[in-house]
Amino acid sequence: MAPQPYLRPGYLREITVPAEFQAETPLPPGKRLWNQSWLRKSVLVLLLLMVWELIARWQNNSLMFPGVIDTLRAFSEDMLSGVLPEKIHNSLTLLIQGYLIGSVLSLVFSALAVSSRAGRDLLSTLTAMLNPLPAIALLPLALLWFGLGSGSLIFVIVHSVVWPIALNTSAGFNSVSETLRMTGKNYGLRGPRYVWHILMPAAFPSILAGLKIGWAFAWRTLIAAELVFGASSGSGGLGWYIFQNRNELFTDHVFAGLLTVVIIGLLVEGVIFAGIERLTVKRWNI
């Protein structure tokens, strides 16, 4: 009789799944809703508006510090009458022109700086000299050179935009890894194609940060210039709107003008820049 093969006795072993691999229990609806950033920011804005209204009621002086209700009433009146839409259009027209010109110039300076030693020396010298110079200080010279028109305002906006964007763009270009640089050169990319296909995608977070800073500087410069300069070619913007209402002691309309600037800033930040950031992160995985 042939010998039987040895059979190992079988047994059951219970396997425990580590906690990090276990299926998470779904969050309650309230917590899932609170995880939405737009809701948290909306609640924060509402809290700030409540504090504003409480301070205004405590002051009890609408001439010095109007409340939220008075400001919204003035805002709705001027929006319906067409005054504020006209001022918004005038300001945004000048702002976009100066912002685009400044952005293109900053990209040119940054591309020159990353391409050659002379360009790098030029950018560092110009930023050291001109970046600390307030744009509004150049307004008298702008009026002398370009006259009482939109050219003066565009000039000071370009000055306020080009240097912060150029600094951030140049810093982003310099932070690109040497591996990516060598990859682009191995593919034969040179000049503008090298900047466009290699440097800009890799440095885009820094470029986008510079664009945000430049947009804020452009708004500050435009409002300040219109407060000093006044109307441009017979039609003023939001700064001129604020200046006129301050002279006439319509403080609620002054706050309505400031609120308009804040709303536009929130829309640009939350819609345009946030949308660009989502598209670029999805495309380039940065």
Side-chain angles (χ1 to χ4, degrees):
M1 184 176 181
Q4 296 295 326
Y6 173 76
L7 297 177
R8 178 181 295 178
Y11 60 91
L12 294 177
R13 182 176 179 181
E14 185 176 354
I15 301 176
T16 59
V17 181
E20 59 269 20
F21 295 106
Q22 292 180 0
E24 297 182 357
T25 57
L27 294 175
K31 196 167 184 179
R32 287 204 306 269
L33 189 61
W34 185 248
N35 286 336
Q36 303 294 323
S37 61
W38 64 267
L39 179 62
R40 298 195 304 271
K41 292 178 180 179
S42 300
V43 172
L44 181 60
V45 170
L46 289 176
L47 290 176
L48 292 175
L49 292 177
M50 290 176 58
V51 172
W52 176 7
E53 183 66 25
L54 289 175
I55 294 175
R57 291 179 181 273
W58 177 69
Q59 289 280 342
N60 196 23
N61 188 347
S62 59
L63 180 63
M64 297 295 295
F65 194 82
V68 178
I69 298 176
D70 296 332
T71 301
L72 291 178
R73 184 183 301 116
F75 177 81
S76 61
E77 288 176 0
D78 287 345
M79 286 295 290
L80 293 175
S81 65
V83 175
L84 264 179
E86 179 187 0
K87 304 302 182 186
I88 293 172
H89 176 266
N90 294 336
S91 291
L92 286 180
T93 301
L94 294 175
L95 187 72
I96 292 174
Q97 292 179 19
Y99 184 75
L100 291 178
I101 295 173
S103 301
V104 172
L105 287 176
S106 65
L107 181 59
V108 171
F109 280 127
S110 302
L112 290 175
V114 79
S115 302
S116 64
R117 181 180 300 177
R120 184 164 59 252
D121 293 340
L122 175 65
L123 179 60
S124 62
T125 304
L126 290 178
T127 52
M129 290 191 306
L130 300 178
N131 191 36
L133 186 64
I136 198 65
L138 296 176
L139 187 59
L141 288 177
L143 294 175
L144 181 63
W145 293 339
F146 302 102
L148 298 174
S150 59
S152 300
L153 296 178
I154 293 176
F155 175 78
V156 294
I157 292 173
V158 169
H159 172 78
S160 68
V161 167
V162 63
W163 309 119
I165 297 180
L167 283 174
N168 278 271
T169 303
S170 179
F173 285 171
N174 292 330
S175 64
V176 176
S177 66
E178 194 64 29
T179 303
L180 284 176
R181 295 174 183 270
M182 294 302 297
T183 301
K185 293 178 180 178
N186 289 336
Y187 276 98
L189 299 177
R190 297 290 186 274
R193 295 179 66 240
Y194 172 71
V195 174
W196 180 259
H197 291 287
I198 299 297
L199 296 182
M200 285 194 64
F204 196 78
S206 297
I207 298 174
L208 188 60
L211 291 174
K212 291 180 181 179
I213 297 173
W215 178 260
F217 281 13
W219 261 120
R220 297 175 189 176
T221 302
L222 176 63
I223 299 300
E226 286 184 338
L227 286 172
V228 176
F229 173 50
S232 171
S233 301
S235 59
L238 286 172
W240 179 242
Y241 170 84
I242 295 171
F243 180 77
Q244 281 184 314
N245 286 287
R246 192 268 297 175
N247 288 339
E248 298 172 6
L249 296 180
F250 294 148
T251 315
D252 52 347
H253 291 267
V254 173
F255 272 65
L258 298 174
L259 180 63
T260 304
V261 176
V262 172
I263 292 174
I264 294 175
L266 290 175
L267 289 176
V268 171
E269 175 72 24
V271 177
I272 297 178
F273 284 124
I276 293 174
E277 191 171 6
R278 286 193 298 268
L279 290 176
T280 52
V281 169
K282 182 179 179 180
R283 178 180 178 183
W284 293 327
N285 195 23
I286 54 178

Coordinates of all heavy atoms in Angstrom, one line a residue, residues 11-42:
Y11 N -6.6 25.7 8.7 CA -7.2 26.5 9.8 C -7.6 27.9 9.2 O -7.1 28.3 8.2 CB -6.2 26.7 11.0 CG -4.9 27.4 10.6 CD1 -4.8 28.8 10.7 CD2 -3.8 26.7 10.1 CE1 -3.6 29.4 10.3 CE2 -2.7 27.3 9.8 CZ -2.5 28.7 9.8 OH -1.4 29.3 9.5
L12 N -8.5 28.5 9.9 CA -9.0 29.8 9.4 C -8.3 30.9 10.3 O -8.2 30.8 11.5 CB -10.5 29.9 9.6 CG -11.3 29.0 8.7 CD1 -12.8 29.2 9.1 CD2 -11.1 29.3 7.3
R13 N -7.8 32.0 9.5 CA -7.2 33.1 10.2 C -8.0 34.4 9.9 O -8.2 34.7 8.7 CB -5.8 33.2 9.8 CG -5.0 34.3 10.5 CD -3.6 34.4 10.1 NE -2.8 35.4 10.8 CZ -1.6 35.7 10.6 NH1 -0.9 34.9 9.7 NH2 -1.0 36.7 11.2
E14 N -8.4 35.0 10.9 CA -9.2 36.2 10.7 C -8.2 37.4 10.5 O -7.3 37.7 11.3 CB -10.0 36.5 12.0 CG -11.0 37.7 11.8 CD -11.9 37.9 13.0 OE1 -11.8 37.0 13.9 OE2 -12.6 38.9 13.0
I15 N -8.4 38.0 9.3 CA -7.5 39.2 9.0 C -8.2 40.5 9.4 O -9.4 40.7 9.0 CB -7.3 39.1 7.4 CG1 -6.6 37.8 7.0 CG2 -6.4 40.3 7.0 CD1 -6.4 37.7 5.6
T16 N -7.5 41.3 10.1 CA -8.0 42.6 10.5 C -7.5 43.6 9.5 O -6.3 43.7 9.2 CB -7.6 42.9 11.9 OG1 -6.1 42.9 12.0 CG2 -8.1 41.9 12.9
V17 N -8.4 44.4 9.0 CA -8.1 45.5 8.1 C -7.6 46.7 8.9 O -8.3 47.1 9.9 CB -9.3 45.9 7.2 CG1 -8.9 47.0 6.3 CG2 -9.8 44.7 6.5
P18 N -6.5 47.3 8.6 CA -6.0 48.5 9.3 C -7.0 49.6 9.2 O -7.9 49.7 8.3 CB -4.7 48.9 8.6 CG -4.3 47.6 8.0 CD -5.5 46.9 7.6
A19 N -7.0 50.5 10.2 CA -8.0 51.5 10.3 C -8.0 52.5 9.2 O -9.0 53.0 8.7 CB -7.8 52.3 11.7
E20 N -6.7 52.8 8.6 CA -6.7 53.7 7.5 C -7.2 53.2 6.2 O -7.5 53.9 5.3 CB -5.2 54.1 7.3 CG -4.2 53.0 7.0 CD -3.6 52.4 8.2 OE1 -4.2 52.6 9.3 OE2 -2.6 51.8 8.1
F21 N -7.4 51.8 6.1 CA -8.0 51.2 4.9 C -9.4 50.9 5.1 O -10.1 50.4 4.1 CB -7.2 50.0 4.5 CG -5.8 50.2 4.2 CD1 -4.8 49.9 5.0 CD2 -5.5 50.8 3.0 CE1 -3.4 50.1 4.7 CE2 -4.2 51.1 2.6 CZ -3.1 50.7 3.5
Q22 N -10.0 51.1 6.2 CA -11.4 50.8 6.4 C -12.3 51.9 5.8 O -11.9 53.0 5.7 CB -11.7 50.7 7.9 CG -11.1 49.5 8.6 CD -11.4 49.4 10.1 OE1 -12.1 50.3 10.6 NE2 -10.9 48.4 10.7
A23 N -13.4 51.5 5.3 CA -14.4 52.4 4.7 C -14.8 53.4 5.8 O -15.3 53.0 6.8 CB -15.6 51.7 4.1
E24 N -14.7 54.7 5.4 CA -15.1 55.7 6.3 C -16.7 55.8 6.3 O -17.3 55.7 5.3 CB -14.5 57.1 5.9 CG -13.0 57.1 6.0 CD -12.4 58.4 5.6 OE1 -13.2 59.3 5.3 OE2 -11.2 58.5 5.7
T25 N -17.2 56.1 7.4 CA -18.6 56.4 7.5 C -18.9 57.7 6.9 O -18.2 58.7 7.0 CB -19.0 56.4 9.0 OG1 -18.3 57.4 9.7 CG2 -18.8 55.0 9.6
P26 N -20.0 57.8 6.1 CA -20.3 59.1 5.5 C -20.6 60.2 6.5 O -21.1 60.0 7.6 CB -21.6 58.7 4.7 CG -22.2 57.5 5.4 CD -21.0 56.8 5.9
L27 N -20.1 61.4 6.1 CA -20.3 62.5 7.0 C -21.8 62.9 7.0 O -22.5 62.8 6.0 CB -19.5 63.7 6.5 CG -17.9 63.5 6.6 CD1 -17.2 64.7 5.9 CD2 -17.5 63.4 8.0
P28 N -22.2 63.5 8.1 CA -23.6 64.0 8.2 C -23.8 65.1 7.2 O -22.8 65.8 6.8 CB -23.8 64.4 9.6 CG -22.4 64.5 10.2 CD -21.6 63.6 9.4
P29 N -25.0 65.3 6.7 CA -25.2 66.4 5.7 C -24.8 67.8 6.2 O -24.2 68.5 5.4 CB -26.8 66.3 5.5 CG -27.2 65.0 5.9 CD -26.2 64.6 7.0
G30 N -25.0 68.1 7.4 CA -24.6 69.4 7.9 C -23.1 69.6 7.8 O -22.6 70.7 7.4
K31 N -22.3 68.6 8.2 CA -20.8 68.7 8.1 C -20.4 68.8 6.7 O -19.4 69.5 6.3 CB -20.2 67.5 8.8 CG -18.7 67.8 9.2 CD -18.2 66.7 10.2 CE -16.8 67.1 10.6 NZ -16.3 66.1 11.6
R32 N -21.0 68.0 5.8 CA -20.6 68.0 4.4 C -20.9 69.4 3.8 O -20.1 69.9 3.0 CB -21.4 67.0 3.6 CG -21.0 65.5 3.8 CD -21.3 64.7 2.6 NE -22.8 64.8 2.3 CZ -23.7 64.0 2.8 NH1 -23.4 63.0 3.7 NH2 -25.0 64.1 2.5
L33 N -22.0 70.0 4.2 CA -22.3 71.4 3.7 C -21.3 72.4 4.2 O -20.9 73.3 3.5 CB -23.7 71.7 4.1 CG -24.3 73.0 3.5 CD1 -24.3 72.9 2.0 CD2 -25.7 73.3 4.0
W34 N -20.9 72.2 5.5 CA -20.0 73.2 6.1 C -18.6 73.0 5.5 O -17.8 74.0 5.6 CB -19.9 72.9 7.6 CG -19.1 73.9 8.4 CD1 -17.9 73.7 9.0 CD2 -19.3 75.3 8.5 NE1 -17.4 74.9 9.5 CE2 -18.3 75.9 9.2 CE3 -20.3 76.2 8.1 CZ2 -18.2 77.2 9.6 CZ3 -20.3 77.5 8.4 CH2 -19.2 78.1 9.1
N35 N -18.3 71.9 4.9 CA -17.0 71.8 4.3 C -16.8 72.5 3.0 O -15.7 72.6 2.4 CB -16.7 70.3 4.0 CG -16.3 69.5 5.2 OD1 -15.9 70.1 6.2 ND2 -16.6 68.2 5.2
Q36 N -17.9 73.1 2.5 CA -17.9 73.9 1.3 C -17.3 75.3 1.6 O -17.8 76.0 2.5 CB -19.3 74.1 0.7 CG -20.0 72.8 0.3 CD -19.3 72.0 -0.8 OE1 -18.7 72.7 -1.7 NE2 -19.2 70.7 -0.7
S37 N -16.3 75.7 0.9 CA -15.6 76.9 1.3 C -16.5 78.2 1.0 O -16.4 79.1 1.7 CB -14.3 77.1 0.4 OG -14.6 77.1 -0.9
W38 N -17.3 78.1 0.0 CA -18.2 79.2 -0.3 C -19.1 79.5 0.8 O -19.5 80.7 1.1 CB -18.9 79.0 -1.6 CG -19.9 77.9 -1.6 CD1 -19.7 76.6 -1.9 CD2 -21.3 77.9 -1.1 NE1 -20.8 75.8 -1.8 CE2 -21.8 76.6 -1.3 CE3 -22.1 78.9 -0.7 CZ2 -23.1 76.3 -0.9 CZ3 -23.4 78.6 -0.3 CH2 -23.9 77.3 -0.4
L39 N -19.6 78.5 1.5 CA -20.6 78.6 2.6 C -19.9 79.3 3.8 O -20.4 80.2 4.4 CB -21.2 77.3 3.0 CG -22.2 77.4 4.1 CD1 -23.4 78.2 3.8 CD2 -22.6 76.0 4.5
R40 N -18.7 78.8 4.1 CA -17.9 79.4 5.2 C -17.6 80.8 5.0 O -17.7 81.7 5.9 CB -16.6 78.6 5.5 CG -16.9 77.1 5.8 CD -15.6 76.5 6.4 NE -14.5 76.6 5.5 CZ -14.2 75.7 4.5 NH1 -15.0 74.7 4.4 NH2 -13.1 75.9 3.8
K41 N -17.2 81.2 3.7 CA -16.9 82.5 3.4 C -18.1 83.4 3.5 O -18.1 84.6 3.9 CB -16.2 82.6 2.0 CG -14.8 82.0 2.0 CD -14.2 82.1 0.6 CE -12.8 81.4 0.6 NZ -12.2 81.5 -0.8
S42 N -19.3 82.9 3.0 CA -20.5 83.6 3.1 C -20.9 83.9 4.5 O -21.3 85.0 4.8 CB -21.6 82.9 2.3 OG -21.3 82.6 1.0

